[in-house]
Amino acid sequence: MSISRKATFALLIGTSLTFTAATAAAKDYPLHMENDLVAVCTAIKNDSRLALNRAVKNTGLSFSKLNAGLVCNGQDMLTFSLTHNAAQTNSVIAHNLNARSTILTAKR
């Protein structure tokens, strides 16, 4: 085999393995968990403390774990609440994360 054929073959194998891994990971991800995470973002945007606490409880995760991994429109929970002027949910999130609720931070 020539070098270009070997490179193409390796690229095709790598791509097929990536798709296989992504498909396997997607099958393990429960749909109800996605709905619960969307409910957290919706509660933050609607500025509802009660809905936020219920949504977080339904996920079975803590505020710190959600803040570390949950992305609402490309932003973490605290930044998302600040950009939507959700003062009540912002204070709940800040209290549970031991963070300052008035600082808008940038992430890379």
Side-chain angles (χ1 to χ4, degrees):
M1 280 185 155
S2 68
I3 295 175
S4 64
R5 284 189 178 181
K6 287 181 182 179
T8 304
F9 184 69
L11 180 64
L12 288 174
I13 289 178
T15 304
S16 65
L17 290 176
T18 302
F19 287 133
T20 304
T23 305
K27 288 180 183 177
D28 293 337
Y29 189 73
L31 182 61
H32 69 86
M33 184 66 153
E34 181 178 350
N35 293 335
D36 291 340
L37 296 174
V38 170
V40 171
C41 293
T42 304
I44 293 170
K45 186 176 180 180
N46 292 338
D47 202 20
S48 174
R49 293 185 306 173
L50 180 60
L52 176 61
N53 285 322
R54 283 183 182 168
V56 169
K57 185 176 180 180
N58 287 339
T59 64
L61 301 171
S62 66
F63 274 91
S64 59
K65 286 184 180 179
L66 283 171
N67 191 58
L70 179 63
V71 177
C72 302
N73 290 345
Q75 300 171 331
D76 64 279
M77 292 173 28
L78 195 59
T79 306
F80 185 69
S81 65
L82 284 170
T83 57
H84 288 284
N85 296 321
Q88 291 182 355
T89 53
N90 182 282
S91 65
V92 170
I93 296 166
H95 174 75
N96 284 294
L97 297 177
N98 294 327
R100 296 180 67 190
S101 63
T102 57
I103 297 175
L104 186 62
T105 59
K107 281 180 101 173
R108 286 188 155 202

